Amino acid sequence: MGMKILVVDDSAAERAKIQNILSEYCILTAGDGVEAIRVLEEHEGINLLILDLDMPNMNGFQVLESLKEDKRFRDLHTIILTNYDEWKDEIKGLKLGAVDYIRKPIRLDALKARIDLHVALLRAQQALERERKAIERLHESERSKSVFLSHLPGLAYRCYKDQDWTMQYVSQGCFNLTGYPPESLLYNRDLSYNDLISPEYRVALWNEWERILAKREPFKHEYEIITATGEKKWVLELGQGIYNEQGEVEALEGIVLDISERKAIENTLKYNSEHDQWTGLYNRNYLVSLLEKDLKLRKAKKALIGINLSMIHLLTVNYGFQYSQNLIKKTAEALSQYCRDNCLLFRPRENRFIFYLFDYKDKDELIAFSNIIIETLESLFVTDRIGGGIGILEIEPNQNETDVDLLLRRLLIASERSVSLFGKDFELCFYDEELEALVNRERDIVEALNVIATEDQSNDQLFLQFQPILCLKTGSICGFEALARLRTEQLGLVSPLEFITIAEKTKHIIPIGEKVIVKAFRFLNKLKEHGFEQIGVSINISLIQLLNPDFTSRLFELISAMQVNPKNIGLEITESVFTYDFEYINNIIEQLRSAGIQIAIDDFGTGYSSLARENELRVDCMKIDKLFIDDLLEPDLSKVITCDIISISHKLGHCTIAEGVEYGIQLQYLKEYGCDRIQGYLLSKPLDEEEAIRFLKQRDPED
């Protein structure tokens, strides 16, 4: 750092000589004391002042007195210039703060030597001052570090990199974290830090330090320690390696923080995200994550056993939500007893359970296990008299399918198929190629129905056939039953029993049902064009359609728009209406009947038939199911109740229509016991529109 010197003398010649001899330094000059004070105030960092005592305006003594009173200049070193014989002035100057004096006339070489000496002394003094301040800062830093470390919430350390993590320094936070005083860990006096680490984490911690030190990266790792009281605590260690000049690790420094509260919150959140809150079982999220991980391994055989308890919703209706939920909890407790290391239980959704098995022997083991589950469920639900489905899906080790959602959907399909096939009994249903074909077929039917339901124009895939109905009293055709048919290029002709059920399940029955009504009304108009104005058409109506709030008004709109006579329209509804609100159903039926529409109960005697309810329901006709007509082929007719059904129907004020009449002996019986109408293959198979018109004309050639 360059020295800055101010030379003050009223002689310009003297100033020039001094400035020239001291040219290696930064020299400032002033002609009197006043100017000297101004220069000092304007220029910071002036180190040395060469001051002549005898000057006009403000002499050297006055300058010294002024500097002595100003704290800004207390570090300024002043050398006074005196005459040879004025030793008293020299003493006075030194007392006022000067550090040296030089007598005039000035010998320039002596001046240079004296100034160089003072500059050297100044530099030495400055160096000492810097060192003193550095020492003070170091002491302050150590004091601050000590205060900081003593107030840290965790354990600050410096240790050797050895298997014991031998401690060279341990902060006071050690006691709060571990329960041991810091000195007990220093140089393994009472125990090593490794003794505090929970055994299952020791190898992993060492390996992580090895990995980090090789890359010279910061260290960050979570593990558990065991405190003096035996309590386990989760800690987070943050640290780094300390390397010598050769790049070798000479120590480790860092801090160990207590994260037990954070871990408890994390564990709670993790538990909630992986478990069903009501039963405590694993939930769908955990099942999906586990399957996704296991499917990638492709090692052991795996299987899912789905338990479908959807029928529990019937108990909710009868006994309330809490009753059914308590039953679900009891079911979870009962099933949990079968959990093993290779058999886990999940509750993926409402009224569903799934067992996940792996490393099992074969299919027989799955069946045996499922039968044990069935026995448990049957004993649990014996008083509630409900059943469910057991679906089984095997996942082979070499299976390429890794779509977990697809696997769970297949499992659900298997369990739902079991429910639909076996009703109130618990039975097994494996998901296999046959079921896969059924599911794919159902999907194709749904797609076809979706196209039909959404298209505005008439679709040739959906068409009607018409089966004649014969009046036994007159011997003439009194009407037709309109039968919906579905034919697609991919599936061919699809049975109504198949696609109508799917249409009801998917709610496509409402738009498709309206298209059926429109097609039936067109046929009525065609009959009228050919002169058969008295012939009626019966249309099958689903309960879903009937309960649709817009059904009645929309039906009347179509009747008006297509100019159809309501008296030629018959609506056939199934016995499922017996399960619904009678007053509501009767109000709908009454509106339809008051418009002249005939209402018939279809397939009487096979479902929810109740004579008391039948009596309450305001309908016109009762259709006897084919089951009772087939009984007429039995050799002993004394046990047949078909005649009783006809009698009851008449007593209730209904006409009777026998379905599925195929043989003359059946027709003879029905005539004998007063059945009103018949339909079946004895009379005719279902006919297309043109065939139906020809059929009528052939029976009545005059028309």
Side-chain angles (χ1 to χ4, degrees):
M1 182 177 68
M3 281 288 171
K4 192 180 290 187
I5 301 174
L6 174 60
V7 178
V8 185
D9 198 308
D10 58 343
S11 170
E14 290 293 327
R15 293 198 303 270
K17 290 179 184 179
I18 296 173
Q19 186 172 10
N20 184 57
I21 197 67
L22 300 178
S23 60
E24 64 185 275
Y25 303 112
C26 177
I27 303 298
L28 302 174
T29 61
D32 55 34
V34 174
E35 186 180 1
I37 295 298
R38 180 180 60 77
V39 172
L40 285 170
E41 289 178 346
E42 291 179 355
H43 295 269
E44 293 182 358
I46 295 176
N47 308 105
L48 190 62
L49 173 63
I50 301 175
L51 177 66
D52 186 19
L53 293 179
D54 187 14
M55 294 183 298
N57 297 329
M58 185 177 188
N59 62 35
F61 294 116
Q62 290 173 316
V63 171
L64 287 172
E65 289 173 353
S66 177
L67 294 177
K68 190 175 183 179
E69 294 175 358
D70 197 328
K71 294 180 179 180
R72 291 177 297 172
F73 306 116
R74 62 184 177 185
D75 294 329
L76 180 65
H77 287 219
T78 304
I79 299 175
I80 55 177
L81 300 178
T82 64
N83 292 322
Y84 183 77
D85 56 350
E86 294 177 349
W87 59 268
K88 291 183 179 180
D89 289 343
E90 294 172 355
I91 295 174
K92 183 178 179 181
L94 293 174
K95 287 182 178 181
L96 288 175
V99 296
D100 198 0
Y101 60 88
I102 297 176
R103 292 175 178 173
K104 292 183 177 181
I106 299 173
R107 290 179 55 189
L108 294 178
D109 55 346
L111 172 69
K112 176 70 167 59
R114 296 281 287 274
I115 295 300
D116 287 345
L117 176 62
H118 279 284
V119 167
L121 289 173
L122 274 173
R123 285 175 173 165
Q125 184 179 354
Q126 289 174 347
L128 288 172
E129 182 63 18
R130 286 195 299 273
E131 185 176 347
R132 182 187 66 79
K133 289 182 179 180
I135 292 172
E136 286 182 356
R137 286 196 299 271
L138 180 61
H139 288 165
E140 179 62 23
S141 174
E142 289 296 325
R143 186 189 68 79
S144 300
K145 180 180 177 181
S146 177
V147 172
F148 174 72
L149 292 177
S150 66
H151 287 83
L152 278 176
L155 180 157
Y157 68 86
R158 179 185 175 96
C159 72
Y160 293 122
K161 181 183 172 289
D162 57 27
Q163 293 290 342
D164 289 325
W165 310 108
T166 302
M167 292 293 168
Q168 301 170 267
Y169 169 81
V170 182
S171 70
Q172 292 299 317
C174 174
F175 183 78
N176 289 335
L177 180 66
T178 69
Y180 295 99
E183 55 271 17
S184 66
L185 291 177
L186 284 175
Y187 300 99
N188 306 328
R189 192 192 75 179
D190 298 326
L191 75 167
S192 71
Y193 184 75
N194 192 60
D195 295 330
L196 300 181
I197 300 169
S198 191
E200 64 268 29
Y201 297 98
R202 290 172 184 172
V203 174
L205 183 64
W206 177 266
N207 291 339
E208 183 63 11
W209 265 113
E210 289 278 281
R211 185 184 71 82
I212 289 299
L213 291 172
K215 297 181 178 181
R216 295 204 172 199
E217 294 178 348
F219 181 82
K220 181 178 181 181
H221 196 65
E222 296 179 2
Y223 54 93
E224 284 184 292
I225 63 170
I226 302 173
T227 68
T229 61
E231 175 192 3
K232 276 195 169 186
K233 284 185 178 180
W234 273 99
V235 296
L236 168 65
E237 182 176 350
L238 303 171
Q240 63 182 10
I242 305 301
Y243 305 88
N244 60 23
E245 293 180 356
Q246 290 73 39
E248 300 168 338
V249 178
E250 64 178 26
L252 307 176
E253 288 185 354
I255 185 169
V256 181
L257 300 171
D258 185 354
I259 59 169
S260 299
E261 289 187 8
R262 194 201 80 195
K263 270 292 183 179
I265 294 173
E266 288 179 359
N267 291 338
T268 300
L269 293 174
K270 185 174 185 292
Y271 181 89
N272 291 337
S273 70
E274 295 178 347
H275 289 76
D276 172 59
Q277 293 186 3
W278 181 246
T279 63
L281 299 177
Y282 290 122
N283 59 18
R284 178 187 170 89
N285 290 339
Y286 186 66
L287 175 60
V288 170
S289 63
L290 186 61
L291 284 174
E292 287 176 344
K293 181 180 69 174
D294 288 357
L295 288 173
K296 294 176 182 177
L297 300 178
R298 297 187 179 182
K299 292 182 179 179
K301 292 179 68 174
K302 296 175 277 289
L304 299 172
I305 299 179
I307 302 170
N308 187 332
L309 300 178
S310 57
M311 295 185 72
I312 280 184
H313 78 275
L314 298 174
L315 300 179
T316 304
V317 173
N318 293 329
Y319 304 115
F321 176 77
Q322 196 59 47
Y323 181 88
S324 62
Q325 290 305 295
N326 289 337
L327 195 57
I328 286 291
K329 182 172 283 189
K330 289 180 182 177
T331 304
E333 293 170 355
L335 295 177
S336 294
Q337 64 181 307
Y338 302 112
C339 291
R340 300 290 185 271
D341 290 340
N342 69 328
C343 180
L344 305 177
L345 179 61
F346 301 80
R347 189 193 180 202
R349 52 182 291 194
E350 185 181 15
N351 302 334
R352 300 285 195 279
F353 293 93
I354 292 178
F355 276 103
Y356 174 36
L357 291 85
F358 43 93
D359 290 333
Y360 63 93
K361 184 178 179 182
D362 52 26
K363 188 173 184 179
D364 291 338
E365 183 179 340
L366 293 179
I367 294 174
F369 179 77
S370 298
N371 285 330
I372 294 173
I373 298 302
I374 288 175
E375 290 177 7
T376 302
L377 294 173
E378 285 178 341
S379 63
L380 191 63
F381 297 124
V382 63
T383 57
D384 296 296
R385 295 186 297 175
I386 64 166
I390 307 293
I392 304 177
L393 175 68
E394 289 193 273
I395 308 171
E396 296 297 332
N398 58 351
Q399 183 170 322
N400 293 325
E401 184 58 65
T402 58
D403 187 340
V404 174
D405 284 337
L406 178 59
L407 294 175
L408 294 179
R409 187 179 72 84
R410 287 174 175 172
L411 180 67
L412 179 62
I413 288 169
S415 65
E416 287 188 342
R417 180 69 63 175
S418 176
V419 172
S420 63
L421 290 178
F422 304 107
K424 293 186 177 180
D425 297 323
F426 283 97
E427 295 289 345
L428 306 180
C429 180
F430 276 85
Y431 190 94
D432 51 23
E433 292 182 0
E434 182 179 348
L435 186 55
E436 175 86 33
L438 288 173
V439 171
N440 290 338
R441 178 177 174 82
E442 182 173 317
R443 184 193 62 231
D444 293 339
I445 293 173
V446 169
E447 290 177 357
L449 293 176
N450 186 54
V451 172
I452 295 170
T454 55
E455 283 188 353
D456 294 332
Q457 302 300 322
S458 176
N459 192 301
D460 292 337
Q461 291 183 327
L462 178 70
F463 63 97
L464 301 186
Q465 288 187 319
F466 303 90
Q467 187 167 42
I469 300 173
L470 177 69
C471 177
L472 294 180
K473 292 180 181 179
T474 64
S476 60
I477 301 299
C478 60
F480 291 89
E481 180 181 359
L483 302 170
R485 298 288 185 260
L486 176 65
R487 181 190 290 115
T488 71
E489 183 177 346
Q490 181 178 0
L491 300 170
L493 189 63
V494 183
S495 166
L497 295 176
E498 187 176 11
F499 80 81
I500 292 296
T501 302
I502 295 173
E504 288 181 330
K505 185 166 62 176
T506 59
K507 299 299 185 292
H508 283 134
I509 193 66
I510 293 177
I512 289 175
E514 181 172 314
K515 292 180 185 294
V516 169
I517 292 171
V518 170
K519 289 177 182 289
F521 285 2
R522 287 176 183 163
F523 179 64
L524 273 175
N525 286 334
K526 186 172 286 189
L527 289 174
K528 186 165 60 174
E529 291 173 5
H530 287 275
F532 300 109
E533 296 182 354
Q534 301 305 315
I535 302 296
V537 174
S538 295
I539 307 168
N540 290 282
I541 299 297
S542 165
L543 178 62
I544 296 173
Q545 290 175 268
L546 193 65
L547 296 177
N548 182 15
D550 299 328
F551 174 74
T552 306
S553 60
R554 181 59 181 158
L555 180 64
F556 291 155
E557 286 179 13
L558 292 174
I559 290 173
S560 175
M562 300 184 71
Q563 298 181 350
V564 177
N565 185 353
K567 293 181 180 180
N568 290 342
I569 302 172
L571 299 183
E572 297 184 11
I573 55 179
T574 62
E575 287 183 315
S576 58
V577 296
F578 287 107
T579 65
Y580 206 77
D581 183 352
F582 254 58
E583 184 177 351
Y584 184 79
I585 294 291
N586 268 331
N587 287 336
I588 297 174
I589 290 176
E590 196 59 43
Q591 292 180 54
L592 299 171
R593 291 185 69 207
S594 15
I597 299 172
Q598 298 286 306
I599 306 296
I601 294 293
D602 196 15
D603 300 329
F604 178 80
T606 59
Y608 300 90
S609 299
S610 164
L611 292 177
R613 290 295 178 91
E614 177 71 19
N615 188 35
E616 295 174 14
L617 206 59
R618 305 184 187 99
V619 298
D620 302 287
C621 298
M622 182 187 297
K623 298 192 75 172
I624 305 173
D625 189 79
K626 184 178 183 297
L627 174 70
F628 298 103
I629 306 305
D630 289 343
D631 288 345
L632 302 181
L633 300 176
E634 296 293 330
D636 184 6
L637 296 179
S638 63
K639 297 180 181 180
V640 173
I641 65 170
T642 310
C643 60
D644 300 309
I645 295 175
I646 295 171
S647 175
I648 291 170
S649 177
H650 287 160
K651 288 180 180 180
L652 293 174
H654 307 328
C655 74
T656 53
I657 304 173
E659 296 183 288
V661 179
E662 298 177 356
Y663 300 96
I665 190 173
Q666 295 170 322
L667 175 60
Q668 183 180 346
Y669 180 97
L670 294 168
K671 283 183 177 180
E672 182 180 345
Y673 286 97
C675 182
D676 300 296
R677 304 170 190 169
I678 68 161
Q679 67 182 92
Y681 275 72
L682 179 63
L683 181 61
S684 172
K685 67 176 183 178
L687 305 169
D688 293 331
E689 283 189 11
E690 297 301 327
E691 292 176 330
I693 299 295
R694 285 197 297 271
F695 177 82
L696 288 175
K697 289 182 177 180
Q698 289 170 1
R699 288 189 63 88
D700 192 358
E702 294 182 2
D703 292 333

